[in-house]
Every structure is written in C-alpha cells, then in structure tokens.
Amino acid sequence: MTDRAIRNLEHLRRTASTARVLNLLKVYDEHGDTEDWGERPMFRTAALNRCLIIKHRLRRNETDAFPGRRQVATKIVVPIDSTDLKTGGRFIFVNQIGFERAMQEAFGVDAEHPDLKTLRLMDQLPSLDPFLLREQLRRGGVDAAPCYFALSEADLERMLEFVQKEIEPLVTLSVGDGVVAAGSTARMASKILSNAPGDRLEALRLTLKLEPEQYQEGVFCWKGFLYYKWALSSLMADIVHVADEVGTVKPVGPSDQAAKDYIARGRAVLRGRIMKTCEEVSRTLRYYDDAYAALTREGNPLAFRDFLLEAPALFTRLGDQLGAVQHIVSFWRFRFNPKAPPIGVDELIDVFMDFETGLMGREADAYDPRDAA
C-alpha cells in the first residue's frame, strides 16, 4: 500500500525521535560500503535493509487491519524513490491481517524467512530506541552491526546541553584543580554522543582503562544511560500533565454502569502506575549515578568501567518502562490535542486498556468490562 499520509519522509528523517523511527536508508547511505554493514546486516533482504521502520500511532480507520486491539503498530515503509523521500513510500504493518502474504508479495520472503522473525521481535517493543532494540535482537539471535544502533541527529541535538551538564564533573576531574577550558565540556559531550565509529577520545579510554576493543561497547552503554536520563527528565512535565488529565478526561455519548465503573477505576490505576513506572526508571538509573559518582568523586574508574560493561541487561527493563511512558505521552498529545474530536466511551476504554497493558508488560491481561457484557 502507498502511504499518502507520509508525503514527506525527508521531514520525518530530519526531525523524528530515535525511539519512533529506525532509518535504515540513512544507515545504508552512511555505512553501506563498510565491511561490518555487509557482513552483519539487520535484514537479509536488500529492500528491507534500506527501509524506514516506524512506531506508528494507529488511526481509527487502521485498527481493523489487525486481529486484536492495539493503539501502536510497527510500520515498514519502503521509499518510492530513495533519492527523493518527498515522494512518500509503500508500507506494510508488521503482524497485520495477511502479513505473511503481503511480505511474500512485496519482498519475496516466505513465512519462515529470518527477516520476519526480526520484524516480529521489533513489533514486541514499545519503542525503537537503539539500546533496547540491540538487546532485544541479541536475545533473538540477531547480531546486527553497531552502525544500526545510533541515535537520530534530532535527538543528538536535543541531548547535547543535558549531556554537557552530566559530564562536567568528569571534565573537572580530568583537569584537577584547574579551570575547565571554555568549550572542553562541549567537545567531550560531542565525542561521547558521536555516531562516528572512529570518533573516540583516547584520554577517556585510558581513564576508563578500556582496551580498544572494549571502548566502543563501553561508550555505547554510557550513551544509553545518558539517553535514558535525558528522556526521563525531558518527559517529566508532560508525564505529570497527562497523569492529571487522565483523572479529569470526560467521554461523550451514552455509557452503561460497567463502563462507568471501569473508567473510574482506570483513572486511579493509571495515574498510580504511570508515576510508579517513572519512579522505577529513576531507581534503575540510580545504579548508573552511583557508578558515575565512584568515578568522579572517588576517582575509581574501574567501578564505572565494570558497571558499563556489565549493565546492558538493564537496557531491556529501562527501555520497556520508558517506552511505555513515552507511548502514553505521545498518544495523549496526539488524541487529546485541542483540535481533536471528543472521545467516546468505547474509545476511552480502549485507550485506558492499552496504557494499562503497556505499563503492566505481559504479566497479566487488562480487564475489559465489555467482555462481561
């Protein structure tokens, strides 16, 4: 199908957040001639390895494309013209009704092709942030090259000031009692955040006592914790706003007692779970803060290095939790903006259920009052 709603993929490429868009065309443009890209592709099918994968908020007319209720889907977009993204793209939703047939027709891959497994691993995730994505694919046996797991340019720009403040104690430590040179913190922040594989700080590697082959992994993990800290801090005002509006939003139209009871229960449960999830993310990030303090306050680089090399397992929990909250904030902005139409009872129940299920993970199914009717 041709996606006329994404008429300007170029704009999407320039402004999209890392968590929402995985731009494999850009990865190909920048790394397609490298040995690593050729030997460790994310997808074996050439067209898939040059597409855009998007976490897409479903419109009301799109929900029937799936066998079950959901608010967000994983969209595969293949540009019509890779040299002119303004022409839009053709798309398929992962796990839509008839997904395997559509993939066979579009890409010539059968139901057992490993690329379908990779796409389904992605579809299980609440976001496409590279730290969560890498761990998910590794668990699924997909060992893609590091070039696939970069932060978007838009997020790098938004993160820079935050990261400068975070690493200032390290820069101060490196110059002893001297005055930090103007621009030195910005330069180090840019180096840490850089997506260029050869853009490394030798002094930083020596400080962390990392072998050259360990450096890339260590800094990737450091970047991950900086990303999650920045993402949480930048979301907090919106999270509080959404939690407050969950308690006051009023649906339109007729409502039976079961629906009224569920919505009343949902207000309290959701507000509590949203804030609890944010507290749990903060608690997990404190492990990083403690290890970083050991480096900057106690002068113990080994503790910080060991933490970075052993901590990728935390990305799964951090990414799942923060991705669920990001989805709630993003969808709320989309559906409850001042220009959006009023929400009906059934749709509000669907939204609450989706949020509740996302925050619970897969521990239990959300209760639907309509199932008892």
Side-chain angles (χ1 to χ4, degrees), residues 208-250:
L208 296 177
K209 295 181 169 57
L210 289 168
E211 297 298 325
E213 61 272 17
Q214 294 176 310
Y215 179 86
Q216 186 176 22
E217 175 69 8
V219 172
F220 177 82
C221 293
W222 192 359
K223 192 187 300 186
F225 285 103
L226 291 169
Y227 170 77
Y228 286 128
K229 284 195 71 173
W230 165 77
L232 180 63
S233 66
S234 63
L235 276 174
M236 279 312 300
D238 285 332
I239 290 168
V240 172
H241 175 73
V242 170
D244 287 343
E245 288 203 343
V246 163
T248 60
V249 62
K250 291 181 173 59

Tab-separated table of all heavy atoms in Angstrom, residues 208-250:
chain	number	residue	atom	x	y	z
A	208	LEU	N	39.146	5.222	31.678
A	208	LEU	CA	38.280	4.092	31.998
A	208	LEU	C	39.012	2.755	31.935
A	208	LEU	O	38.411	1.717	32.225
A	208	LEU	CB	37.081	4.060	31.038
A	208	LEU	CG	36.134	5.256	31.122
A	208	LEU	CD1	35.034	5.135	30.078
A	208	LEU	CD2	35.532	5.380	32.515
A	209	LYS	N	40.306	2.816	31.556
A	209	LYS	CA	41.125	1.593	31.480
A	209	LYS	C	40.449	0.529	30.596
A	209	LYS	O	40.325	-0.636	30.981
A	209	LYS	CB	41.421	1.055	32.883
A	209	LYS	CG	42.298	1.997	33.718
A	209	LYS	CD	42.582	1.425	35.094
A	209	LYS	CE	43.656	2.221	35.823
A	209	LYS	NZ	43.349	3.640	35.975
A	210	LEU	N	40.011	0.985	29.436
A	210	LEU	CA	39.365	0.093	28.470
A	210	LEU	C	40.332	-0.268	27.355
A	210	LEU	O	41.055	0.592	26.851
A	210	LEU	CB	38.139	0.770	27.857
A	210	LEU	CG	36.915	0.953	28.759
A	210	LEU	CD1	35.916	1.897	28.095
A	210	LEU	CD2	36.253	-0.389	29.052
A	211	GLU	N	40.348	-1.542	27.003
A	211	GLU	CA	41.089	-1.947	25.817
A	211	GLU	C	40.377	-1.359	24.594
A	211	GLU	O	39.176	-1.090	24.631
A	211	GLU	CB	41.138	-3.473	25.710
A	211	GLU	CG	41.874	-4.151	26.847
A	211	GLU	CD	43.336	-3.743	26.901
A	211	GLU	OE1	43.937	-3.539	25.811
A	211	GLU	OE2	43.875	-3.604	28.017
A	212	PRO	N	41.120	-1.151	23.500
A	212	PRO	CA	40.490	-0.547	22.317
A	212	PRO	C	39.220	-1.263	21.878
A	212	PRO	O	38.235	-0.618	21.503
A	212	PRO	CB	41.590	-0.642	21.250
A	212	PRO	CG	42.865	-0.584	22.040
A	212	PRO	CD	42.576	-1.334	23.308
A	213	GLU	N	39.217	-2.603	21.947
A	213	GLU	CA	38.030	-3.337	21.502
A	213	GLU	C	36.862	-3.194	22.482
A	213	GLU	O	35.708	-3.455	22.138
A	213	GLU	CB	38.351	-4.817	21.288
A	213	GLU	CG	38.816	-5.556	22.515
A	213	GLU	CD	40.328	-5.485	22.720
A	213	GLU	OE1	40.977	-4.611	22.099
A	213	GLU	OE2	40.846	-6.306	23.502
A	214	GLN	N	37.163	-2.815	23.741
A	214	GLN	CA	36.093	-2.619	24.727
A	214	GLN	C	35.508	-1.210	24.676
A	214	GLN	O	34.400	-0.976	25.163
A	214	GLN	CB	36.628	-2.845	26.145
A	214	GLN	CG	37.053	-4.257	26.467
A	214	GLN	CD	37.647	-4.327	27.868
A	214	GLN	OE1	38.518	-3.533	28.218
A	214	GLN	NE2	37.153	-5.255	28.664
A	215	TYR	N	36.268	-0.290	24.090
A	215	TYR	CA	35.887	1.116	24.172
A	215	TYR	C	34.524	1.375	23.525
A	215	TYR	O	33.669	2.063	24.095
A	215	TYR	CB	36.956	1.980	23.507
A	215	TYR	CG	36.636	3.453	23.519
A	215	TYR	CD1	36.980	4.244	24.610
A	215	TYR	CD2	35.972	4.063	22.458
A	215	TYR	CE1	36.672	5.599	24.640
A	215	TYR	CE2	35.661	5.406	22.479
A	215	TYR	CZ	36.020	6.164	23.567
A	215	TYR	OH	35.704	7.496	23.597
A	216	GLN	N	34.331	0.824	22.338
A	216	GLN	CA	33.075	1.065	21.624
A	216	GLN	C	31.877	0.585	22.433
A	216	GLN	O	30.856	1.262	22.545
A	216	GLN	CB	33.107	0.383	20.255
A	216	GLN	CG	31.891	0.713	19.390
A	216	GLN	CD	32.009	0.107	18.007
A	216	GLN	OE1	32.740	-0.846	17.787
A	216	GLN	NE2	31.266	0.660	17.063
A	217	GLU	N	32.003	-0.606	23.031
A	217	GLU	CA	30.906	-1.136	23.843
A	217	GLU	C	30.680	-0.286	25.088
A	217	GLU	O	29.537	0.021	25.457
A	217	GLU	CB	31.212	-2.580	24.245
A	217	GLU	CG	30.203	-3.208	25.196
A	217	GLU	CD	28.854	-3.467	24.563
A	217	GLU	OE1	28.711	-3.296	23.333
A	217	GLU	OE2	27.930	-3.828	25.305
A	218	GLY	N	31.760	0.113	25.750
A	218	GLY	CA	31.629	0.906	26.963
A	218	GLY	C	30.962	2.252	26.719
A	218	GLY	O	30.067	2.660	27.463
A	219	VAL	N	31.370	2.937	25.666
A	219	VAL	CA	30.791	4.247	25.376
A	219	VAL	C	29.363	4.100	24.863
A	219	VAL	O	28.504	4.942	25.148
A	219	VAL	CB	31.678	5.027	24.377
A	219	VAL	CG1	30.985	6.299	23.926
A	219	VAL	CG2	33.007	5.369	25.026
A	220	PHE	N	29.065	3.030	24.128
A	220	PHE	CA	27.681	2.780	23.710
A	220	PHE	C	26.773	2.652	24.936
A	220	PHE	O	25.681	3.221	24.985
A	220	PHE	CB	27.615	1.501	22.869
A	220	PHE	CG	26.221	1.118	22.438
A	220	PHE	CD1	25.641	1.711	21.329
A	220	PHE	CD2	25.491	0.173	23.143
A	220	PHE	CE1	24.349	1.364	20.922
A	220	PHE	CE2	24.211	-0.182	22.749
A	220	PHE	CZ	23.636	0.420	21.640
A	221	CYS	N	27.239	1.918	25.938
A	221	CYS	CA	26.444	1.756	27.160
A	221	CYS	C	26.314	3.069	27.912
A	221	CYS	O	25.237	3.393	28.438
A	221	CYS	CB	27.075	0.682	28.040
A	221	CYS	SG	26.995	-0.978	27.337
A	222	TRP	N	27.388	3.833	27.981
A	222	TRP	CA	27.343	5.135	28.648
A	222	TRP	C	26.322	6.032	27.947
A	222	TRP	O	25.491	6.675	28.577
A	222	TRP	CB	28.724	5.775	28.614
A	222	TRP	CG	28.868	6.985	29.511
A	222	TRP	CD1	27.913	7.549	30.303
A	222	TRP	CD2	30.055	7.748	29.691
A	222	TRP	NE1	28.423	8.628	30.979
A	222	TRP	CE2	29.737	8.773	30.623
A	222	TRP	CE3	31.342	7.681	29.179
A	222	TRP	CZ2	30.669	9.722	31.024
A	222	TRP	CZ3	32.275	8.623	29.590
A	222	TRP	CH2	31.940	9.634	30.501
A	223	LYS	N	26.379	6.038	26.630
A	223	LYS	CA	25.428	6.826	25.856
A	223	LYS	C	23.988	6.382	26.158
A	223	LYS	O	23.069	7.200	26.214
A	223	LYS	CB	25.732	6.679	24.365
A	223	LYS	CG	24.993	7.674	23.472
A	223	LYS	CD	25.195	7.369	21.994
A	223	LYS	CE	26.636	7.408	21.583
A	223	LYS	NZ	26.792	7.237	20.102
A	224	GLY	N	23.811	5.085	26.368
A	224	GLY	CA	22.487	4.571	26.681
A	224	GLY	C	21.937	5.151	27.977
A	224	GLY	O	20.780	5.588	28.032
A	225	PHE	N	22.755	5.166	29.017
A	225	PHE	CA	22.272	5.711	30.288
A	225	PHE	C	22.046	7.216	30.191
A	225	PHE	O	21.089	7.744	30.771
A	225	PHE	CB	23.251	5.371	31.414
A	225	PHE	CG	23.161	3.940	31.842
A	225	PHE	CD1	24.112	3.021	31.444
A	225	PHE	CD2	22.104	3.496	32.616
A	225	PHE	CE1	24.014	1.692	31.811
A	225	PHE	CE2	21.994	2.172	32.991
A	225	PHE	CZ	22.957	1.267	32.581
A	226	LEU	N	22.912	7.916	29.467
A	226	LEU	CA	22.689	9.347	29.263
A	226	LEU	C	21.380	9.586	28.501
A	226	LEU	O	20.621	10.511	28.819
A	226	LEU	CB	23.865	9.955	28.492
A	226	LEU	CG	25.188	10.031	29.261
A	226	LEU	CD1	26.330	10.400	28.319
A	226	LEU	CD2	25.096	11.028	30.415
A	227	TYR	N	21.122	8.738	27.517
A	227	TYR	CA	19.870	8.862	26.735
A	227	TYR	C	18.656	8.651	27.634
A	227	TYR	O	17.690	9.432	27.586
A	227	TYR	CB	19.877	7.844	25.599
A	227	TYR	CG	18.549	7.715	24.885
A	227	TYR	CD1	18.137	8.668	23.960
A	227	TYR	CD2	17.695	6.644	25.150
A	227	TYR	CE1	16.910	8.555	23.305
A	227	TYR	CE2	16.472	6.524	24.503
A	227	TYR	CZ	16.088	7.478	23.584
A	227	TYR	OH	14.873	7.360	22.947
A	228	TYR	N	18.681	7.618	28.464
A	228	TYR	CA	17.522	7.340	29.309
A	228	TYR	C	17.327	8.427	30.361
A	228	TYR	O	16.188	8.800	30.675
A	228	TYR	CB	17.662	5.969	29.962
A	228	TYR	CG	17.440	4.816	29.003
A	228	TYR	CD1	18.368	3.789	28.881
A	228	TYR	CD2	16.307	4.757	28.201
A	228	TYR	CE1	18.177	2.736	27.996
A	228	TYR	CE2	16.103	3.716	27.305
A	228	TYR	CZ	17.042	2.706	27.211
A	228	TYR	OH	16.847	1.677	26.322
A	229	LYS	N	18.420	8.948	30.917
A	229	LYS	CA	18.285	10.043	31.891
A	229	LYS	C	17.691	11.279	31.224
A	229	LYS	O	16.804	11.943	31.777
A	229	LYS	CB	19.647	10.387	32.505
A	229	LYS	CG	20.147	9.401	33.536
A	229	LYS	CD	21.288	9.984	34.361
A	229	LYS	CE	20.808	11.058	35.309
A	229	LYS	NZ	21.873	11.521	36.234
A	230	TRP	N	18.198	11.597	30.042
A	230	TRP	CA	17.678	12.759	29.309
A	230	TRP	C	16.213	12.554	28.939
A	230	TRP	O	15.390	13.462	29.101
A	230	TRP	CB	18.514	12.973	28.042
A	230	TRP	CG	17.849	13.884	27.055
A	230	TRP	CD1	17.769	15.248	27.116
A	230	TRP	CD2	17.138	13.495	25.871
A	230	TRP	NE1	17.047	15.728	26.039
A	230	TRP	CE2	16.655	14.674	25.258
A	230	TRP	CE3	16.880	12.272	25.265
A	230	TRP	CZ2	15.919	14.659	24.072
A	230	TRP	CZ3	16.149	12.245	24.080
A	230	TRP	CH2	15.683	13.426	23.502
A	231	ALA	N	15.871	11.371	28.446
A	231	ALA	CA	14.495	11.107	28.024
A	231	ALA	C	13.535	11.253	29.200
A	231	ALA	O	12.461	11.858	29.073
A	231	ALA	CB	14.394	9.708	27.414
A	232	LEU	N	13.915	10.706	30.360
A	232	LEU	CA	13.031	10.809	31.526
A	232	LEU	C	12.881	12.261	31.971
A	232	LEU	O	11.765	12.723	32.230
A	232	LEU	CB	13.578	9.958	32.679
A	232	LEU	CG	12.730	9.976	33.958
A	232	LEU	CD1	11.345	9.384	33.702
A	232	LEU	CD2	13.434	9.201	35.076
A	233	SER	N	13.990	12.984	32.034
A	233	SER	CA	13.920	14.372	32.506
A	233	SER	C	13.110	15.239	31.542
A	233	SER	O	12.356	16.117	31.972
A	233	SER	CB	15.330	14.951	32.675
A	233	SER	OG	15.983	15.073	31.429
A	234	SER	N	13.244	14.993	30.236
A	234	SER	CA	12.521	15.806	29.269
A	234	SER	C	11.039	15.464	29.216
A	234	SER	O	10.231	16.250	28.722
A	234	SER	CB	13.140	15.640	27.876
A	234	SER	OG	13.033	14.312	27.414
A	235	LEU	N	10.661	14.289	29.739
A	235	LEU	CA	9.263	13.860	29.724
A	235	LEU	C	8.493	14.241	30.980
A	235	LEU	O	7.260	14.226	30.981
A	235	LEU	CB	9.181	12.336	29.576
A	235	LEU	CG	9.255	11.723	28.188
A	235	LEU	CD1	9.304	10.201	28.307
A	235	LEU	CD2	8.062	12.139	27.340
A	236	MET	N	9.200	14.561	32.059
A	236	MET	CA	8.536	14.643	33.361
A	236	MET	C	7.372	15.633	33.397
A	236	MET	O	6.308	15.345	33.949
A	236	MET	CB	9.547	14.982	34.455
A	236	MET	CG	10.342	13.786	34.947
A	236	MET	SD	9.357	12.313	35.358
A	236	MET	CE	8.287	12.925	36.658
A	237	ALA	N	7.556	16.821	32.804
A	237	ALA	CA	6.466	17.803	32.839
A	237	ALA	C	5.240	17.266	32.106
A	237	ALA	O	4.096	17.405	32.578
A	237	ALA	CB	6.926	19.118	32.212
A	238	ASP	N	5.474	16.627	30.957
A	238	ASP	CA	4.352	16.060	30.195
A	238	ASP	C	3.722	14.877	30.931
A	238	ASP	O	2.507	14.674	30.858
A	238	ASP	CB	4.830	15.600	28.816
A	238	ASP	CG	5.079	16.763	27.871
A	238	ASP	OD1	4.429	17.811	28.047
A	238	ASP	OD2	5.926	16.635	26.976
A	239	ILE	N	4.539	14.082	31.609
A	239	ILE	CA	4.011	12.940	32.351
A	239	ILE	C	3.051	13.409	33.437
A	239	ILE	O	1.954	12.865	33.608
A	239	ILE	CB	5.167	12.126	32.977
A	239	ILE	CG1	5.965	11.409	31.873
A	239	ILE	CG2	4.632	11.104	33.981
A	239	ILE	CD1	7.277	10.831	32.352
A	240	VAL	N	3.449	14.423	34.179
A	240	VAL	CA	2.583	14.961	35.237
A	240	VAL	C	1.295	15.517	34.628
A	240	VAL	O	0.195	15.293	35.151
A	240	VAL	CB	3.325	16.056	36.031
A	240	VAL	CG1	2.369	16.754	37.000
A	240	VAL	CG2	4.505	15.446	36.790
A	241	HIS	N	1.416	16.208	33.502
A	241	HIS	CA	0.239	16.777	32.826
A	241	HIS	C	-0.725	15.672	32.385
A	241	HIS	O	-1.936	15.765	32.605
A	241	HIS	CB	0.699	17.593	31.615
A	241	HIS	CG	-0.425	18.119	30.769
A	241	HIS	ND1	-1.248	19.151	31.162
A	241	HIS	CD2	-0.865	17.728	29.539
A	241	HIS	CE1	-2.146	19.380	30.224
A	241	HIS	NE2	-1.942	18.534	29.222
A	242	VAL	N	-0.183	14.617	31.771
A	242	VAL	CA	-1.034	13.514	31.314
A	242	VAL	C	-1.681	12.809	32.496
A	242	VAL	O	-2.883	12.493	32.468
A	242	VAL	CB	-0.222	12.510	30.469
A	242	VAL	CG1	-1.034	11.248	30.194
A	242	VAL	CG2	0.195	13.148	29.143
A	243	ALA	N	-0.909	12.564	33.551
A	243	ALA	CA	-1.466	11.903	34.729
A	243	ALA	C	-2.624	12.712	35.309
A	243	ALA	O	-3.647	12.145	35.735
A	243	ALA	CB	-0.378	11.704	35.778
A	244	ASP	N	-2.500	14.026	35.299
A	244	ASP	CA	-3.586	14.875	35.799
A	244	ASP	C	-4.803	14.795	34.869
A	244	ASP	O	-5.950	14.703	35.342
A	244	ASP	CB	-3.113	16.331	35.903
A	244	ASP	CG	-2.156	16.544	37.073
A	244	ASP	OD1	-2.112	15.669	37.963
A	244	ASP	OD2	-1.456	17.569	37.076
A	245	GLU	N	-4.573	14.812	33.557
A	245	GLU	CA	-5.698	14.788	32.618
A	245	GLU	C	-6.389	13.428	32.600
A	245	GLU	O	-7.593	13.365	32.329
A	245	GLU	CB	-5.214	15.162	31.205
A	245	GLU	CG	-4.860	16.635	31.062
A	245	GLU	CD	-4.927	17.105	29.627
A	245	GLU	OE1	-4.919	16.264	28.707
A	245	GLU	OE2	-4.992	18.333	29.424
A	246	VAL	N	-5.651	12.357	32.870
A	246	VAL	CA	-6.279	11.041	32.984
A	246	VAL	C	-7.377	11.086	34.048
A	246	VAL	O	-8.420	10.445	33.914
A	246	VAL	CB	-5.233	9.959	33.320
A	246	VAL	CG1	-5.891	8.686	33.846
A	246	VAL	CG2	-4.388	9.628	32.081
A	247	GLY	N	-7.140	11.856	35.084
A	247	GLY	CA	-8.114	11.942	36.176
A	247	GLY	C	-9.315	12.803	35.874
A	247	GLY	O	-10.297	12.773	36.627
A	248	THR	N	-9.283	13.580	34.776
A	248	THR	CA	-10.378	14.516	34.519
A	248	THR	C	-11.045	14.342	33.154
A	248	THR	O	-12.128	14.893	32.945
A	248	THR	CB	-9.872	15.966	34.623
A	248	THR	OG1	-8.824	16.179	33.661
A	248	THR	CG2	-9.346	16.261	36.021
A	249	VAL	N	-10.427	13.600	32.228
A	249	VAL	CA	-10.997	13.490	30.883
A	249	VAL	C	-12.398	12.882	30.938
A	249	VAL	O	-12.654	11.931	31.680
A	249	VAL	CB	-10.071	12.636	29.968
A	249	VAL	CG1	-9.921	11.213	30.473
A	249	VAL	CG2	-10.589	12.634	28.533
A	250	LYS	N	-13.314	13.466	30.172
A	250	LYS	CA	-14.714	13.008	30.186
A	250	LYS	C	-15.113	12.565	28.773
A	250	LYS	O	-15.047	13.358	27.832
A	250	LYS	CB	-15.630	14.118	30.667
A	250	LYS	CG	-15.463	14.448	32.144
A	250	LYS	CD	-16.435	15.547	32.561
A	250	LYS	CE	-16.406	15.758	34.069
A	250	LYS	NZ	-15.083	16.113	34.565
